[in-house]
Amino acid sequence: GNIRFILFFELLISWRLSNDHRSPPAMIQNSSWLDISNPEFIQWRMIDAHVLSCITATLSPTIFTTVIHLQTSSEFWLSLDKWFTSLSRSHIRQLKNQLNSISKSSDSMEVYLSHIKSLVDQLSMASSFVDDEDVVLITLDGCSWNLKG
């Protein structure tokens, strides 16, 4: 039941949001050259309204206000994709800055290493991988070695 519904919905969303399924013309001409409503447009609009309803139901009020002026589910989806992609890049940049400026200071070694691991894991989840050698160098750079000869 639910799995079939989810699979159908995912198929509908992917079909609907692709650029290949743009709106058909709202009006067409019949055999007497009179303008009439296009049944394909009516069906397209109904499907679009359902998809749009599903998308907007999942948005927070803050995000919803940024896309409320858009008309179709495809426009919504493209706008959201652009918005979240820029947030992701900003977040990745912030994580990289934190990782590159990390220092042990008065933290225990366990807390320090856990913080580094957390940042590296967050970057990995965002598909921004940090080379193991870089992690070692960042870790050593952040330690304040107080070596007296």
Side-chain angles (χ1 to χ4, degrees):
N2 284 344
I3 291 176
R4 193 169 67 215
F5 174 75
I6 291 169
L7 290 174
F8 172 75
F9 183 71
E10 284 192 26
L11 179 64
L12 178 66
I13 291 279
S14 63
W15 172 82
R16 178 62 199 93
L17 296 179
S18 73
N19 287 332
D20 299 335
H21 293 92
R22 297 174 200 252
S23 167
M27 304 297 286
I28 57 173
Q29 293 181 338
N30 65 12
S31 57
S32 303
W33 300 102
L34 296 174
D35 285 339
I36 60 170
S37 294
N38 184 353
E40 288 180 17
F41 175 79
I42 294 168
Q43 180 183 16
W44 179 90
R45 193 68 178 141
M46 285 176 45
I47 293 170
D48 191 69
H50 286 296
V51 171
L52 195 54
S53 171
C54 292
I55 293 171
T56 57
T58 64
L59 299 178
S60 70
T62 304
I63 296 170
F64 182 72
T65 59
T66 66
V67 293
I68 195 167
H69 65 282
L70 301 173
Q71 300 296 313
T72 66
S73 59
S74 184
E75 290 174 346
F76 263 66
W77 194 256
L78 292 171
S79 177
L80 292 171
D81 182 54
K82 184 177 177 182
W83 197 70
F84 282 110
T85 300
S86 69
L87 282 180
S88 296
R89 287 185 190 136
S90 172
H91 186 65
I92 289 170
R93 193 171 22 253
Q94 180 184 17
L95 291 171
K96 284 181 177 182
N97 287 340
Q98 286 178 19
L99 183 61
N100 288 321
S101 64
I102 195 166
S103 75
K104 183 181 171 303
S105 54
S106 63
D107 293 337
S108 70
M109 187 58 79
E110 183 179 352
V111 169
Y112 174 63
L113 294 175
S114 292
H115 191 196
I116 291 172
K117 182 177 181 341
S118 173
L119 291 170
V120 170
D121 289 347
Q122 289 177 63
L123 284 164
S124 294
M125 286 189 292
S127 298
S128 179
F129 302 99
V130 182
D131 188 64
D132 289 343
E133 186 177 315
D134 291 336
V135 174
V136 170
L137 293 173
I138 289 167
T139 303
L140 292 174
D141 286 346
C143 288
S144 52
W145 303 105
N146 195 1
L147 302 174
K148 293 185 179 179

